[in-house]
Amino acid sequence: MMRRCELPARDLRLLDPLFVYPSTVLGRERAIVVNLEQIRCVITADEVLLLNSLDSYVLQYAAELQRRLLQRAEGDELPFEFRALELALEAACSFLDAQAAELEIEAYPLLDELTSKISTLNLERVRRLKSRLVALTRRVQKVRDEIEQLMDDDGDMAEMYLTEKKMRMESSVFGDQSLLGYNSAGAAGTSVSAPVSPVSSPTESRKLEKAFSLCRSRHDSTKSSDNTTTEHIQELEMLLEAYFVVIDSTLNKLTSLKEYIDDTEDFINIQLDNVRNQLIQFELLLTTATFVVAIFGVVAGIFGMNFETSVFKIENAFQWVLVITSVVGVFIFCSFLWFFKYKRLMPL
């Protein structure tokens, strides 16, 4: 393949199924190296060399390419390599868009369920979903960047016109052979022993005019081929732009899904913060109540000491102690509540 397509080993290494490389489209002198998701192939001016040819996805690509080549519409002058490249881009964009749609169908109900019921199982499912989303977004972003890089570089797009370069090479070889034939014929027609005349003969002048006309025709054909290449660059740019819009739409879907996940995470964090604040407020109330109850413990400790006092001799003294202690405790508790409300520590 390296000799046949004039490709370096590092380009073929991109197609190795044992290694995982990001999506890449490389234009070379006689081939286009394509690595787009499941499609890994080398496109020449006449054929497509596919890797993993037994894979179902690759078989669908080959069958669809054959069908489109057989049903070629009239007026459609796209060369073979662009048809193969277009189908590879279409297959990759469709595959990524289908995965994005499947991820959307799975994500939105799961996120809605998580907002209504926060559990460890739902959080684990969302974590796995987000990991898949990040990986898919990275792949879509790489395909988008590759297409955008090709659109921004006219030199790379010009390298992909394999049919045009092949025709130009064949015409150049044919012109060189014709010019060599004219020169050999002129050399054979000239006598070695004849004296050199200062004035050229009519036959030699006609041969020289033919050689000059051939050079001019080759120069004109080169200029026309350059103009054709410029037109083809516009055609290839339009083709790439169409699939750039498709892959950009897929990327926007994934971006919207990621934003929805981020919004869901923010909403869950707000809910958890609210629950945490409620627990802190409840703990604050319990601490205040514990302080009030501790007042009763202090009074009981004082009157529980082993000493004599006249308070024990007063009738209904125990009831008065309980009433006074309770009133003081309620007053202190209400004072704390008013302080919490004044400082806006809890909504009361």
Side-chain angles (χ1 to χ4, degrees):
M1 289 182 64
M2 293 171 59
R3 290 192 298 269
R4 183 174 180 175
C5 303
E6 295 183 2
L7 291 175
R10 65 175 180 273
D11 291 345
L12 292 181
R13 195 174 294 115
L14 296 175
L15 307 178
D16 195 340
L18 299 180
F19 297 96
V20 179
Y21 288 98
S23 298
T24 308
V25 179
L26 300 176
R28 294 296 183 251
E29 182 64 27
R30 294 181 57 183
I32 301 175
V33 181
V34 177
N35 179 15
L36 293 174
E37 294 299 320
Q38 304 294 332
I39 303 300
R40 297 186 177 189
C41 61
V42 177
I43 302 174
T44 65
D46 303 319
E47 59 187 355
V48 178
L49 306 177
L50 291 165
L51 276 77
N52 298 331
S53 57
L54 299 180
D55 186 73
S56 60
Y57 199 78
V58 179
L59 290 175
Q60 292 178 4
Y61 170 83
E64 181 65 19
L65 180 60
Q66 292 176 357
R67 186 187 67 80
R68 293 191 182 187
L69 291 176
L70 292 176
Q71 298 179 357
R72 183 172 182 176
E74 296 182 0
D76 190 358
E77 299 180 354
L78 278 178
F80 171 79
E81 61 272 15
F82 290 167
R83 291 178 172 274
L85 179 61
E86 179 184 9
L87 186 56
L89 290 171
E90 180 181 346
C93 293
S94 301
F95 180 73
L96 293 174
D97 188 69
Q99 286 194 340
E102 180 182 355
L103 199 61
E104 279 184 331
I105 294 174
E106 182 182 356
Y108 286 111
L110 179 59
L111 294 173
D112 294 337
E113 182 182 357
L114 180 62
T115 55
S116 60
K117 181 182 179 181
I118 302 175
S119 62
T120 305
L121 179 60
N122 289 336
L123 290 174
E124 178 63 22
R125 292 170 62 187
V126 171
R127 186 190 66 81
R128 294 178 182 177
L129 178 69
K130 192 172 182 180
S131 299
R132 291 169 52 193
L133 175 64
V134 171
L136 182 59
T137 303
R138 189 181 298 113
R139 289 159 53 192
V140 173
Q141 183 69 45
K142 179 58 181 175
V143 175
R144 180 185 180 278
D145 293 342
E146 193 66 26
I147 296 177
E148 185 177 12
Q149 182 180 358
L150 289 175
M151 291 172 57
D152 294 339
D153 195 339
D154 293 343
D156 289 344
M157 288 192 290
E159 285 290 332
M160 295 183 180
Y161 287 89
L162 306 180
T163 302
E164 184 70 25
K165 289 191 291 186
K166 181 180 178 181
M167 294 174 60
R168 192 185 310 171
M169 187 180 301
E170 290 178 353
S171 63
S172 176
V173 172
F174 177 75
D176 292 339
Q177 291 178 354
S178 301
L179 184 59
L180 183 61
Y182 280 121
N183 292 334
S184 61
T190 304
S191 175
V192 177
S193 59
V196 178
S197 174
V199 181
S200 299
S201 63
T203 305
E204 293 177 353
S205 63
R206 285 196 299 270
K207 293 178 182 178
L208 188 60
E209 289 177 359
K210 288 181 180 180
F212 284 147
S213 64
L214 180 60
C215 292
R216 285 195 300 268
S217 64
R218 288 175 57 190
H219 179 69
D220 294 338
S221 64
T222 303
K223 291 176 64 178
S224 63
S225 64
D226 293 338
N227 296 330
T228 305
T229 302
T230 304
E231 294 177 359
H232 284 339
I233 286 178
Q234 296 178 356
E235 294 178 358
L236 179 58
E237 187 175 3
M238 293 175 61
L239 186 147
L240 293 175
E241 185 177 358
Y243 291 100
F244 178 80
V245 172
V246 175
I247 200 66
D248 190 64
S249 175
T250 304
L251 184 61
N252 290 334
K253 290 181 183 179
L254 297 176
T255 304
S256 300
L257 181 58
K258 185 177 183 303
E259 292 177 354
Y260 190 80
I261 292 177
D262 294 338
D263 294 340
T264 304
E265 290 180 349
D266 294 339
F267 179 73
I268 292 174
N269 290 331
I270 292 173
Q271 283 186 332
L272 294 177
D273 291 339
N274 186 28
V275 172
R276 191 180 300 110
N277 292 335
Q278 291 178 356
L279 292 175
I280 292 173
Q281 293 172 5
F282 183 70
E283 182 182 3
L284 189 59
L285 289 176
L286 286 180
T287 304
T288 306
T290 303
F291 176 76
V292 172
V293 173
I295 297 176
F296 287 88
V298 172
V299 174
I302 293 174
F303 284 95
M305 294 181 181
N306 190 12
F307 65 92
E308 294 183 0
T309 178
S310 59
V311 177
F312 295 132
K313 298 178 182 180
I314 300 175
E315 188 179 359
N316 299 326
F318 180 71
Q319 289 81 357
W320 282 106
V321 170
L322 289 178
V323 171
I324 294 173
T325 305
S326 301
V327 170
V328 172
V330 171
F331 177 76
I332 293 175
F333 186 76
C334 293
S335 300
F336 273 112
L337 292 181
W338 176 84
F339 178 76
F340 295 154
K341 183 178 180 180
Y342 178 75
K343 293 296 184 179
R344 296 181 180 179
L345 296 179
M346 61 176 60
L348 296 175

